[in-house]
Amino acid sequence: MNTARTGTIDRPVTRDPQKQDPTMNPSFTETTAPANFGAIESRQNRNLAMQLMPEALARAHVEQRLSEAESERRGHRLAAARRMQRRAERASQRARRALAMAVMQ
């Protein structure tokens, strides 16, 4: 009977990693990326984009509402300015009339 022990890929001769054949157990840094790594990465990016989409939509909605509110405020300020201008013109006309009446007497 042969007393020399031989190992297989599944069962190496020893469990001690320093005594194992380095070709049988490559380190993690030496492993190459799988062939479909780009596809996996793009799928993960797409999933991330899909998860962030409601946040982006909410941000766009808030931005649109803010711009609408600012536009409405500008409209209100313009209307108020026009009202004040008309009031000032009427007051100016009253003052001119009063002055003309005072001069005529």
Side-chain angles (χ1 to χ4, degrees):
M1 190 162 185
N2 189 358
T3 58
R5 296 174 55 197
T6 58
T8 62
I9 292 175
D10 294 332
R11 295 182 180 268
V13 176
T14 179
R15 299 257 184 233
D16 187 6
Q18 292 179 344
K19 294 181 183 176
Q20 288 182 2
D21 185 11
T23 59
M24 301 284 253
N25 190 8
S27 68
F28 181 72
T29 57
E30 294 173 0
T31 58
T32 59
N36 60 351
F37 179 72
I40 292 171
E41 188 175 359
S42 70
R43 198 173 309 123
Q44 287 173 344
N45 287 340
R46 184 174 59 233
N47 288 343
L48 179 63
M50 292 292 282
Q51 289 172 357
L52 296 178
M53 199 173 290
E55 183 179 339
L57 286 172
R59 190 175 293 118
H61 184 67
V62 166
E63 187 176 324
Q64 181 182 5
R65 296 283 304 269
L66 285 173
S67 67
E68 287 174 359
E70 180 60 32
S71 175
E72 191 173 335
R73 280 193 293 268
R74 275 191 303 240
H76 286 301
R77 284 195 299 260
L78 181 61
R82 285 182 179 162
R83 278 194 305 272
M84 290 192 301
Q85 183 180 6
R86 286 193 298 268
R87 186 182 299 167
E89 287 172 358
R90 285 194 302 267
S92 174
Q93 284 179 350
R94 279 195 304 271
R96 269 192 252 128
R97 279 193 208 115
L99 182 62
M101 294 292 275
V103 170
M104 297 283 271
Q105 291 177 358

